[in-house]
Amino acid sequence: METMRVLVIGAGVGGLAVANGLLDSGHDVEVFEHAQQLRTTGAGITVWSNGTAALQQLGVDITEVGRQLDSLRAMTDTGRLLWEADLSEVTERLGSPTVQIPRRALIARMAQALPEGVLHFGKRCTRVTEHADHVSVEFADGTSADADLLIGADGQRSTVRSMLLDPEPAKPTGWASWQGLTSSALPVAAGHQTINIAGRNAHCGLIPTGEGLLHWWFDMPWKDGDSALSVADLRRIFRGWPEPVEALLASVTDDDLGFFPHVRHRVPHVWGGPRSTLLGDAVHAMPPAVAQAANQTFEDAWMLTNCLADVPAGSAPTAALRAYEQERRPRVMKVSRTAAFTSAQRSTPLQRLGRFPKWIATRSQVVSLRSGSNVLRGLAPSPSLA
């Protein structure tokens, strides 16, 4: 394997994950972030077994951080049980648990694993130029950098995507989340079970996140220009919903409330140029309805790391980049469609999501690659998800 110099744009979960994987593979990696420091905002992240398994392969272990989840429970807004799902099958198959973790703790864990000098802050990418033998990046502060390969991991508003592919941003789906991560004395916060509650035009969820923290969210239709909701509005809208919804809303304030519009990207056939590609929300931003956005990002990072491991010395990475994209595209499109459908029509599809843990267990690319991926053997990519 030839050691390549790689530039990663974006120090979110995707950029940090792929940087860890590529460094462990012996590559020379630098990560450039437009913010002045690590962005630790946000609530919690559900890292399913496919995500924790991918992270372990990338050299990041979060199984001792956050809260391990053992089951999922779904009910209607009248309190009728829809299903309960045991996560033991997916944990056993992938050899890794489902973990709920504060986003800030996940970011810190991945950043701490990087050597000094890898992360650069205050570096806003303004131009990408591909040459026959290298790629160049220019930054707003007047500096620049050259490398063998560029990875755009700069989120749903990706500057790299807009320069390499198209300037069209991710489109709103018509839904949004009002969410938070707070200390809670409610019994659910001390447990190991996710609770999902679905109504005709609204949805809410509660996930224990460890150390007494509870991640909660309320999803409703939303369009640009709608007035912002307060906790008082949520108390009115969700009055009469099954416990512990009202008890939770009685315990939080507007200062705890975060707003997260749902968006979705068109997933292109090709994700970059001869010496560039994208991963995560930069290429396939999706609604959070099935909690897979971060997990698919981790699978991206792991697949890309593996594909680049077989680039012959002195060769351009183009073939490996296109193989990575062709392998990942049908899978992320499948998950994205499921997330969009579930986000837009809450009650009916939630009944079907009881099968989702099993789907993850059988369809994760972590499983297929452990068995020996076709793409890594130089054969045709494996079939798309059924």
Side-chain angles (χ1 to χ4, degrees):
M1 180 198 77
E2 179 188 19
T3 297
M4 288 187 291
R5 175 164 165 73
V6 183
L7 307 181
V8 179
I9 306 300
V13 295
L16 295 175
V18 77
N20 274 283
L22 291 174
L23 283 164
D24 281 353
S25 296
H27 297 293
D28 177 13
V29 182
E30 289 188 271
V31 181
F32 297 89
E33 165 62 40
H34 73 87
Q36 296 299 323
Q37 58 187 2
L38 288 171
R39 291 174 288 116
T40 57
T41 56
I45 293 180
T46 304
V47 188
W48 287 73
S49 290
N50 61 316
T52 54
L55 281 175
Q56 286 175 346
Q57 296 297 311
L58 292 166
V60 180
D61 188 352
I62 64 165
T63 56
E64 300 301 322
V65 185
R67 191 72 161 186
Q68 181 170 327
L69 301 179
D70 296 334
S71 63
L72 313 177
R73 179 181 178 89
M75 65 183 75
T76 68
D77 57 351
T78 63
R80 179 171 63 88
L81 179 67
L82 291 172
W83 49 262
E84 284 197 36
D86 186 344
L87 296 179
S88 61
E89 179 180 354
V90 64
T91 298
E92 181 178 357
R93 185 176 181 89
L94 296 184
S96 187
T98 296
V99 174
Q100 179 72 11
I101 183 172
R103 185 182 182 278
R104 59 179 179 266
L106 178 60
I107 289 288
R109 188 81 163 194
M110 292 192 290
Q112 289 166 1
L114 298 176
E116 186 177 353
V118 170
L119 286 171
H120 305 276
F121 297 103
K123 293 289 186 177
R124 182 169 63 86
C125 173
T126 58
R127 185 179 180 85
V128 175
T129 306
E130 296 207 42
H131 307 274
D133 59 350
H134 71 281
V135 59
S136 299
V137 180
E138 297 176 19
F139 301 100
D141 62 3
T143 62
S144 62
D146 296 336
D148 301 301
L149 168 65
L150 171 72
I151 300 171
D154 48 341
Q156 66 184 46
R157 300 179 183 86
S158 173
T159 299
V160 177
R161 176 181 174 129
S162 68
M163 289 185 287
L164 293 176
L165 302 178
D166 62 69
E168 185 177 354
K171 294 182 178 180
T173 67
W175 281 73
S177 297
W178 286 261
Q179 65 177 359
L181 178 68
T182 55
S183 297
S184 176
L186 294 171
V188 63
H192 298 268
Q193 183 182 67
T194 292
I195 298 176
N196 292 275
I197 308 174
R200 182 177 298 275
N201 292 305
H203 178 227
C204 74
L206 305 94
I207 311 183
T209 312
E211 298 183 353
L213 294 173
L214 184 66
H215 178 200
W216 44 267
W217 72 95
F218 297 87
D219 290 358
M220 284 172 288
W222 173 86
K223 62 180 182 296
D224 193 20
D226 284 355
S227 58
L229 296 182
S230 65
V231 169
D233 293 323
L234 295 178
R235 290 170 182 160
R236 173 179 52 81
I237 294 168
F238 290 90
R239 183 177 297 123
W241 278 49
E243 289 299 338
V245 174
E246 290 189 281
L248 167 70
L249 286 172
S251 71
V252 301
T253 70
D254 287 338
D255 290 339
D256 301 318
L257 198 59
F259 176 63
F260 180 73
H262 299 181
V263 298
R264 187 184 181 203
H265 259 140
R266 177 187 66 83
V267 183
H269 287 276
V270 177
W271 299 359
R275 291 181 175 272
S276 61
T277 192
L278 305 171
L279 63 76
D281 283 353
V283 67
H284 50 68
M286 65 185 72
V290 292
Q292 271 293 306
N295 294 278
Q296 292 304 308
T297 298
F298 298 144
E299 288 205 25
D300 285 352
W302 187 60
M303 174 67 77
L304 180 54
T305 298
N306 278 275
C307 286
L308 292 174
D310 284 349
V311 175
S315 300
T318 310
L321 298 180
R322 301 295 87 85
Y324 147 72
E325 296 160 7
Q326 190 175 3
E327 186 80 0
R328 288 296 297 149
R329 184 174 184 270
R331 287 159 170 80
V332 296
M333 288 183 65
K334 177 77 172 184
V335 177
S336 179
R337 284 194 297 265
T338 300
F341 179 66
T342 306
S343 175
Q345 304 181 45
R346 285 294 183 175
S347 301
T348 302
L350 187 60
Q351 299 181 40
R352 299 158 62 182
L353 284 182
R355 300 193 299 268
F356 193 71
K358 184 175 181 179
W359 184 86
I360 288 295
T362 57
R363 300 298 185 179
S364 168
Q365 286 192 298
V366 177
V367 173
S368 66
L369 282 188
R370 280 178 174 169
S371 302
S373 171
N374 289 339
V375 70
L376 297 185
R377 295 197 303 268
L379 304 178
S382 59
S384 61
L385 292 177

